[in-house]
Coordinates of all heavy atoms in Angstrom, one line a residue:
S1 N 0.8 -1.2 0.0 CA 0.0 0.0 0.0 C 0.9 1.2 0.0 O 2.0 1.2 0.4 CB -0.9 0.0 1.2 OG -0.2 0.1 2.4
A2 N 0.3 2.4 -0.4 CA 1.0 3.6 -0.5 C 0.1 4.8 -0.2 O -1.1 4.7 -0.5 CB 1.6 3.8 -1.9
L3 N 0.6 5.8 0.3 CA -0.1 7.1 0.5 C -0.4 7.7 -0.8 O 0.5 7.8 -1.7 CB 0.7 8.0 1.4 CG 0.1 9.3 1.8 CD1 -1.1 9.1 2.7 CD2 1.1 10.2 2.5
V4 N -1.6 8.2 -1.0 CA -2.0 8.8 -2.3 C -1.5 10.3 -2.2 O -1.8 11.0 -1.3 CB -3.5 8.8 -2.5 CG1 -3.9 9.5 -3.7 CG2 -4.0 7.3 -2.5
F5 N -0.9 10.7 -3.3 CA -0.6 12.1 -3.5 C -1.7 12.7 -4.3 O -2.0 12.2 -5.4 CB 0.7 12.3 -4.3 CG 2.0 11.8 -3.6 CD1 2.0 11.1 -2.4 CD2 3.2 12.0 -4.3 CE1 3.2 10.7 -1.9 CE2 4.4 11.5 -3.7 CZ 4.4 10.9 -2.5
H6 N -2.4 13.6 -3.7 CA -3.6 14.2 -4.5 C -3.4 15.7 -4.6 O -2.6 16.3 -3.9 CB -4.9 13.8 -3.8 CG -5.0 14.5 -2.4 ND1 -5.5 15.8 -2.3 CD2 -4.8 14.1 -1.2 CE1 -5.5 16.2 -1.0 NE2 -5.1 15.1 -0.3
D7 N -4.3 16.3 -5.4 CA -4.3 17.7 -5.6 C -5.7 18.3 -5.6 O -6.1 19.0 -6.4 CB -3.6 18.1 -6.9 CG -4.3 17.6 -8.1 OD1 -5.3 16.8 -8.0 OD2 -4.0 18.1 -9.2
L8 N -6.4 17.9 -4.6 CA -7.8 18.4 -4.5 C -7.9 19.9 -4.4 O -7.3 20.5 -3.5 CB -8.5 17.8 -3.2 CG -9.6 16.9 -3.5 CD1 -9.5 15.7 -2.6 CD2 -10.9 17.6 -3.4
P9 N -8.6 20.6 -5.4 CA -8.7 22.0 -5.3 C -9.3 22.5 -4.0 O -10.3 21.9 -3.6 CB -9.5 22.4 -6.5 CG -9.5 21.2 -7.4 CD -9.3 20.0 -6.5
N10 N -8.8 23.5 -3.4 CA -9.2 24.1 -2.2 C -9.3 23.1 -1.0 O -9.9 23.3 0.0 CB -10.7 24.6 -2.4 CG -10.7 25.7 -3.4 OD1 -9.8 26.6 -3.5 ND2 -11.7 25.7 -4.3
G11 N -8.6 21.9 -1.2 CA -8.5 21.0 -0.1 C -7.1 21.1 0.6 O -6.3 21.9 0.2
P12 N -7.0 20.4 1.6 CA -5.7 20.4 2.3 C -4.6 19.8 1.4 O -4.9 18.9 0.6 CB -5.9 19.5 3.6 CG -7.0 18.6 3.2 CD -7.9 19.4 2.2
P13 N -3.4 20.3 1.5 CA -2.3 19.8 0.7 C -2.0 18.4 1.1 O -2.1 18.0 2.2 CB -1.1 20.7 1.0 CG -1.5 21.4 2.3 CD -3.0 21.4 2.4
S14 N -1.7 17.6 0.1 CA -1.3 16.2 0.3 C 0.1 16.1 0.7 O 1.0 16.6 0.1 CB -1.6 15.4 -1.0 OG -1.2 14.1 -0.9
P15 N 0.4 15.4 1.8 CA 1.8 15.1 2.2 C 2.4 14.2 1.1 O 1.8 13.3 0.6 CB 1.7 14.4 3.5 CG 0.4 13.9 3.6 CD -0.5 14.7 2.7
E16 N 3.6 14.6 0.7 CA 4.2 13.8 -0.3 C 5.3 12.9 0.3 O 6.5 13.2 0.2 CB 4.8 14.6 -1.5 CG 3.6 15.2 -2.3 CD 4.1 15.8 -3.6 OE1 5.3 15.7 -4.0 OE2 3.2 16.4 -4.2
S17 N 4.9 11.9 1.0 CA 5.7 11.0 1.7 C 5.6 9.6 1.0 O 4.5 9.1 0.9 CB 5.4 10.8 3.2 OG 5.5 12.1 3.8
I18 N 6.7 9.1 0.6 CA 6.6 7.7 0.0 C 6.5 6.7 1.1 O 7.5 6.6 1.9 CB 7.8 7.5 -1.0 CG1 7.7 8.5 -2.1 CG2 7.8 6.1 -1.5 CD1 8.9 8.6 -3.0
T19 N 5.5 6.0 1.1 CA 5.2 5.1 2.2 C 5.1 3.6 1.8 O 4.9 2.8 2.6 CB 3.9 5.4 2.9 OG1 2.8 5.3 2.0 CG2 3.9 6.8 3.5
G20 N 5.3 3.4 0.5 CA 5.2 2.0 0.0 C 6.3 1.7 -1.1 O 7.2 2.5 -1.3
S21 N 6.0 0.7 -1.8 CA 6.9 0.3 -2.9 C 6.5 0.8 -4.2 O 7.1 0.4 -5.2 CB 7.0 -1.3 -2.9 OG 5.6 -1.8 -3.2
F22 N 5.6 1.8 -4.2 CA 5.2 2.5 -5.4 C 4.7 3.8 -5.1 O 4.4 4.1 -3.9 CB 4.1 1.7 -6.2 CG 2.9 1.4 -5.5 CD1 1.8 2.3 -5.6 CD2 2.7 0.3 -4.6 CE1 0.6 2.1 -4.9 CE2 1.5 0.1 -3.9 CZ 0.5 1.0 -4.1
V23 N 4.5 4.7 -6.1 CA 3.9 6.0 -5.9 C 2.5 6.1 -6.6 O 2.4 5.6 -7.8 CB 4.8 7.1 -6.5 CG1 4.2 8.5 -6.4 CG2 6.2 7.1 -5.8
Y24 N 1.5 6.6 -5.9 CA 0.2 6.7 -6.5 C -0.2 8.2 -6.5 O -0.3 8.8 -5.5 CB -0.8 5.9 -5.7 CG -2.2 5.9 -6.1 CD1 -2.6 5.9 -7.5 CD2 -3.3 6.0 -5.2 CE1 -3.9 5.9 -7.9 CE2 -4.6 6.0 -5.6 CZ -4.9 6.0 -6.9 OH -6.2 6.0 -7.3
L25 N -0.4 8.7 -7.7 CA -0.8 10.1 -7.9 C -2.3 10.1 -8.4 O -2.7 9.4 -9.2 CB 0.0 10.7 -9.1 CG 1.5 10.6 -8.9 CD1 2.2 11.2 -10.2 CD2 2.0 11.5 -7.7
R26 N -3.0 11.1 -7.8 CA -4.4 11.2 -8.2 C -4.6 12.7 -8.5 O -4.5 13.6 -7.6 CB -5.3 10.8 -7.0 CG -6.7 10.7 -7.4 CD -7.4 9.6 -6.6 NE -8.8 9.6 -7.0 CZ -9.5 8.5 -7.1 NH1 -8.9 7.3 -6.8 NH2 -10.7 8.5 -7.5
F27 N -4.9 13.0 -9.8 CA -5.2 14.3 -10.3 C -6.7 14.5 -10.3 O -7.4 14.0 -11.1 CB -4.6 14.5 -11.7 CG -3.1 14.3 -11.7 CD1 -2.5 13.0 -12.0 CD2 -2.2 15.4 -11.4 CE1 -1.1 12.9 -12.0 CE2 -0.9 15.2 -11.5 CZ -0.3 14.0 -11.8
H28 N -7.2 15.4 -9.4 CA -8.6 15.6 -9.3 C -9.2 16.7 -10.2 O -10.4 16.9 -10.3 CB -9.0 16.0 -7.9 CG -8.9 14.8 -7.0 ND1 -9.8 13.7 -7.1 CD2 -8.0 14.5 -6.0 CE1 -9.4 12.8 -6.2 NE2 -8.4 13.2 -5.5
G29 N -8.3 17.5 -10.8 CA -8.7 18.6 -11.7 C -8.3 19.9 -11.1 O -8.0 20.1 -9.9
T30 N -8.4 20.9 -11.9 CA -7.9 22.3 -11.5 C -9.1 23.1 -11.0 O -8.8 24.2 -10.5 CB -7.3 23.0 -12.7 OG1 -8.3 23.1 -13.8 CG2 -6.1 22.3 -13.2
E31 N -10.3 22.6 -11.1 CA -11.5 23.3 -10.6 C -12.3 22.4 -9.8 O -12.1 21.2 -9.8 CB -12.3 23.8 -11.8 CG -11.6 24.7 -12.8 CD -12.3 24.9 -14.1 OE1 -13.6 24.7 -14.1 OE2 -11.7 25.3 -15.1
K32 N -13.2 22.9 -8.9 CA -14.1 22.1 -8.1 C -14.9 21.2 -9.0 O -15.2 21.6 -10.2 CB -15.0 23.0 -7.3 CG -14.3 23.6 -6.1 CD -15.3 24.3 -5.2 CE -14.7 24.9 -4.0 NZ -15.7 25.6 -3.2
G33 N -15.3 20.1 -8.5 CA -16.2 19.2 -9.2 C -15.5 18.4 -10.2 O -16.1 17.9 -11.2
Y34 N -14.2 18.1 -10.0 CA -13.5 17.2 -10.9 C -13.5 17.8 -12.4 O -13.6 17.1 -13.3 CB -14.0 15.8 -10.9 CG -14.1 15.3 -9.5 CD1 -15.3 15.2 -8.9 CD2 -12.9 14.9 -8.9 CE1 -15.3 14.7 -7.6 CE2 -13.0 14.4 -7.6 CZ -14.2 14.3 -6.9 OH -14.2 13.8 -5.6
R35 N -13.3 19.1 -12.5 CA -13.3 19.7 -13.8 C -11.9 20.4 -14.0 O -11.1 20.4 -13.2 CB -14.3 20.9 -13.8 CG -15.7 20.4 -13.6 CD -16.7 21.5 -13.5 NE -18.1 21.1 -13.2 CZ -18.9 20.6 -14.1 NH1 -18.6 20.5 -15.3 NH2 -20.1 20.2 -13.7
G36 N -11.8 20.9 -15.2 CA -10.6 21.6 -15.6 C -9.5 20.8 -16.3 O -9.7 19.6 -16.5
S37 N -8.5 21.5 -16.7 CA -7.4 20.9 -17.5 C -6.1 21.4 -16.9 O -6.0 22.5 -16.6 CB -7.5 21.2 -19.0 OG -6.5 20.6 -19.7
Y38 N -5.1 20.5 -16.9 CA -3.8 20.8 -16.4 C -3.0 21.5 -17.5 O -3.0 21.0 -18.6 CB -3.1 19.6 -15.8 CG -3.8 19.0 -14.6 CD1 -4.7 18.0 -14.7 CD2 -3.5 19.6 -13.3 CE1 -5.4 17.5 -13.5 CE2 -4.1 19.1 -12.2 CZ -5.1 18.1 -12.3 OH -5.7 17.6 -11.2
S39 N -2.2 22.4 -17.1 CA -1.3 23.1 -18.0 C -0.1 22.2 -18.4 O 0.2 21.2 -17.7 CB -0.7 24.4 -17.4 OG 0.2 24.1 -16.4
E40 N 0.4 22.4 -19.5 CA 1.6 21.7 -20.0 C 2.7 21.8 -19.0 O 3.4 20.8 -18.7 CB 2.1 22.2 -21.4 CG 1.1 21.8 -22.5 CD 1.1 20.4 -22.9 OE1 2.2 19.8 -23.1 OE2 0.0 19.8 -22.9
E41 N 2.9 23.0 -18.4 CA 4.0 23.2 -17.4 C 3.8 22.3 -16.2 O 4.7 21.7 -15.7 CB 4.0 24.7 -16.9 CG 4.5 25.6 -18.0 CD 6.0 25.5 -18.1 OE1 6.7 25.3 -17.1 OE2 6.5 25.6 -19.3
Y42 N 2.5 22.2 -15.7 CA 2.2 21.4 -14.5 C 2.5 19.9 -14.8 O 3.1 19.2 -14.0 CB 0.7 21.6 -14.1 CG 0.3 21.0 -12.8 CD1 0.6 21.6 -11.6 CD2 -0.3 19.7 -12.8 CE1 0.2 21.0 -10.4 CE2 -0.7 19.1 -11.7 CZ -0.4 19.7 -10.5 OH -0.8 19.1 -9.3
L43 N 2.0 19.5 -16.0 CA 2.2 18.1 -16.3 C 3.7 17.8 -16.5 O 4.2 16.7 -16.2 CB 1.4 17.7 -17.6 CG -0.1 17.8 -17.4 CD1 -0.8 17.6 -18.7 CD2 -0.6 16.7 -16.3
K44 N 4.4 18.7 -17.1 CA 5.9 18.5 -17.3 C 6.6 18.4 -16.0 O 7.5 17.5 -15.9 CB 6.4 19.7 -18.1 CG 7.9 19.5 -18.5 CD 8.4 20.7 -19.3 CE 9.9 20.5 -19.6 NZ 10.4 21.7 -20.4
S45 N 6.2 19.2 -15.0 CA 6.8 19.0 -13.7 C 6.6 17.7 -13.1 O 7.5 17.1 -12.5 CB 6.4 20.1 -12.7 OG 5.1 19.9 -12.3
Y46 N 5.4 17.1 -13.3 CA 5.1 15.8 -12.8 C 5.8 14.7 -13.6 O 6.3 13.7 -13.1 CB 3.6 15.5 -12.7 CG 3.1 15.8 -11.3 CD1 2.5 17.0 -11.0 CD2 3.3 14.9 -10.3 CE1 2.1 17.3 -9.7 CE2 2.9 15.1 -9.0 CZ 2.3 16.3 -8.7 OH 1.9 16.6 -7.5
A47 N 6.0 14.9 -14.9 CA 6.7 14.0 -15.8 C 8.1 13.9 -15.3 O 8.7 12.8 -15.2 CB 6.6 14.4 -17.2
Q48 N 8.7 15.0 -14.9 CA 10.1 15.0 -14.4 C 10.2 14.2 -13.1 O 11.1 13.4 -12.8 CB 10.6 16.4 -14.3 CG 10.8 17.0 -15.7 CD 11.1 18.5 -15.6 OE1 10.7 19.2 -14.6 NE2 11.6 19.1 -16.7
R49 N 9.2 14.5 -12.2 CA 9.2 13.8 -10.9 C 9.0 12.3 -11.1 O 9.6 11.5 -10.4 CB 8.1 14.4 -10.0 CG 8.5 15.8 -9.6 CD 7.3 16.5 -9.1 NE 7.1 16.1 -7.7 CZ 6.1 16.5 -6.9 NH1 5.1 17.3 -7.4 NH2 6.0 16.1 -5.7
I50 N 8.0 11.9 -12.0 CA 7.8 10.5 -12.2 C 9.0 9.8 -12.7 O 9.4 8.7 -12.3 CB 6.6 10.3 -13.2 CG1 5.3 10.8 -12.5 CG2 6.5 8.9 -13.7 CD1 4.1 10.9 -13.4
S51 N 9.7 10.5 -13.7 CA 10.9 9.9 -14.2 C 12.0 9.7 -13.1 O 12.7 8.7 -13.1 CB 11.5 10.8 -15.3 OG 12.6 10.3 -15.9
A52 N 12.1 10.6 -12.2 CA 13.1 10.5 -11.1 C 12.7 9.4 -10.2 O 13.5 8.6 -9.7 CB 13.1 11.8 -10.3
W53 N 11.4 9.2 -9.9 CA 10.9 8.1 -9.0 C 11.2 6.8 -9.7 O 11.7 5.9 -9.1 CB 9.5 8.3 -8.7 CG 9.1 9.3 -7.7 CD1 9.8 9.6 -6.5 CD2 8.0 10.2 -7.7 NE1 9.2 10.6 -5.8 CE2 8.1 11.0 -6.5 CE3 6.9 10.4 -8.6 CZ2 7.1 11.9 -6.2 CZ3 6.0 11.3 -8.3 CH2 6.1 12.1 -7.1
N54 N 10.9 6.7 -11.0 CA 11.2 5.5 -11.8 C 12.7 5.1 -11.7 O 13.0 4.0 -11.6 CB 10.7 5.6 -13.2 CG 9.2 5.6 -13.4 OD1 8.7 6.0 -14.4 ND2 8.5 5.0 -12.4
A55 N 13.5 6.2 -11.8 CA 15.0 5.9 -11.8 C 15.4 5.3 -10.5 O 16.5 4.6 -10.5 CB 15.7 7.2 -12.1
T56 N 14.7 5.5 -9.4 CA 15.1 4.9 -8.2 C 14.4 3.5 -8.0 O 14.5 2.9 -6.9 CB 14.7 5.8 -7.0 OG1 13.3 5.9 -6.9 CG2 15.3 7.2 -7.1
G57 N 13.7 3.1 -9.0 CA 13.0 1.8 -9.0 C 11.6 1.8 -8.5 O 11.0 0.7 -8.4
L58 N 11.0 3.0 -8.3 CA 9.6 3.1 -7.9 C 8.7 3.1 -9.1 O 8.8 4.0 -9.9 CB 9.4 4.3 -7.0 CG 10.0 4.3 -5.6 CD1 9.9 5.7 -5.0 CD2 9.2 3.3 -4.7
P59 N 7.8 2.2 -9.2 CA 6.7 2.3 -10.2 C 5.8 3.5 -9.8 O 5.6 3.7 -8.6 CB 6.0 1.0 -10.2 CG 6.6 0.2 -9.1 CD 7.7 0.9 -8.4
V60 N 5.2 4.1 -10.7 CA 4.3 5.2 -10.5 C 3.0 5.0 -11.2 O 3.0 4.7 -12.4 CB 4.9 6.6 -10.9 CG1 3.9 7.7 -10.6 CG2 6.2 6.9 -10.2
Y61 N 1.9 5.1 -10.4 CA 0.5 5.0 -11.0 C -0.1 6.4 -10.9 O -0.2 6.9 -9.8 CB -0.3 3.9 -10.2 CG 0.4 2.6 -10.3 CD1 1.3 2.2 -9.2 CD2 0.2 1.7 -11.3 CE1 1.9 1.0 -9.3 CE2 0.8 0.5 -11.4 CZ 1.7 0.1 -10.3 OH 2.3 -1.1 -10.4
A62 N -0.6 6.8 -12.0 CA -1.2 8.2 -12.1 C -2.7 8.0 -12.5 O -2.9 7.4 -13.6 CB -0.5 9.1 -13.0
Y63 N -3.6 8.6 -11.8 CA -5.0 8.5 -12.1 C -5.6 9.9 -12.3 O -5.4 10.7 -11.4 CB -5.7 7.8 -11.0 CG -7.2 7.6 -11.2 CD1 -7.7 6.7 -12.0 CD2 -8.1 8.5 -10.5 CE1 -9.1 6.6 -12.2 CE2 -9.5 8.4 -10.6 CZ -10.0 7.4 -11.5 OH -11.3 7.3 -11.7
F64 N -6.1 10.2 -13.5 CA -6.8 11.5 -13.7 C -8.2 11.4 -13.4 O -9.0 10.6 -14.1 CB -6.5 11.9 -15.2 CG -5.1 12.4 -15.4 CD1 -4.1 11.6 -15.7 CD2 -4.8 13.8 -15.2 CE1 -2.8 12.0 -15.9 CE2 -3.5 14.2 -15.3 CZ -2.5 13.4 -15.7
N65 N -8.7 12.1 -12.4 CA -10.1 12.0 -12.0 C -10.8 13.2 -12.4 O -12.0 13.4 -12.0 CB -10.1 11.9 -10.4 CG -11.4 11.5 -9.9 OD1 -12.1 10.7 -10.5 ND2 -11.8 12.0 -8.8
N66 N -10.3 14.1 -13.3 CA -10.9 15.3 -13.8 C -11.8 14.9 -15.0 O -11.7 15.4 -16.0 CB -10.0 16.4 -14.1 CG -8.9 16.0 -15.1 OD1 -8.4 14.9 -15.1 ND2 -8.4 17.0 -15.8
T67 N -12.7 13.9 -14.7 CA -13.5 13.4 -15.8 C -14.5 14.4 -16.4 O -15.0 14.2 -17.5 CB -14.3 12.1 -15.3 OG1 -15.0 12.5 -14.1 CG2 -13.3 11.0 -15.0
L68 N -14.8 15.4 -15.7 CA -15.7 16.5 -16.3 C -14.8 17.6 -16.9 O -15.3 18.6 -17.2 CB -16.6 17.1 -15.2 CG -17.6 16.1 -14.7 CD1 -18.4 16.8 -13.5 CD2 -18.6 15.7 -15.8
G69 N -13.5 17.2 -17.0 CA -12.5 18.2 -17.6 C -11.9 17.4 -18.8 O -12.5 16.9 -19.6
E70 N -10.6 17.4 -18.7 CA -9.7 16.9 -19.8 C -8.9 15.7 -19.4 O -7.7 15.6 -19.7 CB -8.8 18.0 -20.3 CG -9.6 19.2 -20.9 CD -10.3 18.8 -22.2 OE1 -9.7 18.0 -23.0 OE2 -11.4 19.3 -22.5
A71 N -9.5 14.8 -18.6 CA -8.7 13.6 -18.1 C -8.0 12.9 -19.1 O -6.8 12.6 -19.0 CB -9.7 12.7 -17.3
A72 N -8.7 12.5 -20.2 CA -8.0 11.6 -21.2 C -6.9 12.4 -21.9 O -5.8 11.9 -22.1 CB -9.0 11.2 -22.2
A73 N -7.2 13.7 -22.2 CA -6.1 14.5 -22.9 C -5.0 14.7 -22.0 O -3.8 14.7 -22.4 CB -6.7 15.8 -23.4
N74 N -5.2 15.0 -20.7 CA -4.1 15.2 -19.7 C -3.3 14.0 -19.6 O -2.1 14.0 -19.5 CB -4.7 15.7 -18.4 CG -5.2 17.1 -18.4 OD1 -6.0 17.4 -17.5 ND2 -4.9 17.9 -19.4
G75 N -3.9 12.8 -19.5 CA -3.2 11.5 -19.4 C -2.4 11.3 -20.6 O -1.2 10.9 -20.5
S76 N -2.9 11.6 -21.8 CA -2.1 11.4 -23.0 C -0.9 12.3 -23.0 O 0.2 11.9 -23.4 CB -3.0 11.6 -24.2 OG -4.0 10.6 -24.3
S77 N -1.1 13.6 -22.6 CA 0.0 14.5 -22.6 C 1.1 14.1 -21.6 O 2.3 14.1 -21.9 CB -0.5 15.9 -22.2 OG -1.3 16.5 -23.1
L78 N 0.7 13.6 -20.4 CA 1.7 13.1 -19.5 C 2.5 11.9 -20.0 O 3.7 11.9 -19.9 CB 1.0 12.8 -18.1 CG 1.9 12.3 -17.0 CD1 2.9 13.4 -16.6 CD2 1.1 11.9 -15.8
N79 N 1.8 11.0 -20.6 CA 2.5 9.9 -21.2 C 3.4 10.3 -22.3 O 4.6 9.8 -22.4 CB 1.5 8.9 -21.8 CG 0.8 8.0 -20.7 OD1 1.5 7.7 -19.7 ND2 -0.4 7.6 -21.0
R80 N 3.0 11.2 -23.2 CA 3.9 11.7 -24.2 C 5.2 12.4 -23.6 O 6.3 12.1 -24.1 CB 3.1 12.8 -25.1 CG 4.0 13.4 -26.2 CD 3.2 14.5 -27.0 NE 2.4 15.4 -26.2 CZ 2.9 16.4 -25.5 NH1 4.2 16.7 -25.6 NH2 2.0 17.2 -24.9
M81 N 5.0 13.2 -22.6 CA 6.1 13.8 -21.9 C 7.1 12.8 -21.3 O 8.3 12.9 -21.4 CB 5.6 14.8 -20.9 CG 4.9 16.0 -21.4 SD 4.2 16.9 -20.0 CE 3.2 18.1 -21.0
L82 N 6.5 11.8 -20.7 CA 7.4 10.7 -20.2 C 8.2 10.0 -21.2 O 9.4 9.6 -21.0 CB 6.5 9.7 -19.4 CG 6.1 10.3 -18.0 CD1 5.0 9.4 -17.4 CD2 7.2 10.4 -17.0
R83 N 7.6 9.7 -22.4 CA 8.3 9.1 -23.5 C 9.4 9.9 -23.9 O 10.5 9.5 -24.2 CB 7.3 8.7 -24.6 CG 6.5 7.5 -24.4 CD 5.7 7.1 -25.7 NE 4.9 8.1 -26.3 CZ 3.7 8.4 -26.0 NH1 3.1 7.7 -25.0 NH2 3.0 9.3 -26.6
L84 N 9.2 11.2 -24.0 CA 10.3 12.2 -24.5 C 11.4 12.2 -23.5 O 12.6 12.2 -23.9 CB 9.7 13.6 -24.7 CG 8.8 13.8 -25.8 CD1 8.1 15.1 -25.8 CD2 9.5 13.6 -27.2
I85 N 11.1 12.2 -22.2 CA 12.1 12.2 -21.1 C 12.9 11.0 -21.2 O 14.2 11.0 -21.0 CB 11.5 12.5 -19.7 CG1 11.0 13.9 -19.6 CG2 12.5 12.2 -18.6 CD1 10.2 14.1 -18.3
N86 N 12.3 9.8 -21.3 CA 12.9 8.5 -21.2 C 13.6 8.0 -22.5 O 14.1 7.0 -22.5 CB 11.9 7.5 -20.7 CG 11.5 7.8 -19.2 OD1 12.4 8.2 -18.4 ND2 10.3 7.7 -18.9
N87 N 13.5 8.8 -23.6 CA 14.1 8.3 -24.8 C 15.3 9.2 -25.2 O 15.6 10.2 -24.8 CB 13.1 8.4 -26.0 CG 12.1 7.2 -25.8 OD1 12.5 6.2 -25.4 ND2 10.9 7.5 -26.2

């Protein structure tokens, strides 16, 4: 098991403590109600962090919960960025 790193808008900040053998990220959206889209800059910062965690042997699972926003597009963008970093 692992502590979930989340980004709930207007919620308490998520502690970013690795507590397990993997990292679990949950992107709730940039607006209330699981809406909104993440900027390229924001996703790029996470792509760099994910790459660093992977380099230490930690698998990373990322879940985009902004289903009333751009979840599929944001997930695709993050995957594209990770491919660029890792190639």
Side-chain angles (χ1 to χ4, degrees):
S1 65
L3 181 66
V4 177
F5 296 3
H6 69 82
D7 67 348
L8 245 136
N10 301 319
S14 175
E16 292 194 4
S17 299
I18 296 173
T19 60
S21 59
F22 62 92
V23 176
Y24 178 40
L25 304 173
R26 191 151 180 143
F27 298 93
H28 288 292
T30 58
E31 302 168 21
K32 284 186 176 181
Y34 307 104
R35 299 177 187 276
S37 182
Y38 293 95
S39 70
E40 291 287 309
E41 289 287 321
Y42 187 83
L43 294 174
K44 184 177 180 182
S45 73
Y46 266 96
Q48 292 167 339
R49 293 167 77 187
I50 290 168
S51 183
W53 285 319
N54 286 161
T56 67
L58 287 169
V60 178
Y61 301 93
Y63 178 77
F64 284 88
N65 196 35
N66 55 328
T67 52
L68 294 175
E70 297 291 325
N74 290 160
S76 292
S77 291
L78 182 61
N79 281 329
R80 177 182 45 79
M81 292 173 189
L82 285 165
R83 283 192 305 272
L84 291 171
I85 290 171
N86 294 318
N87 287 327

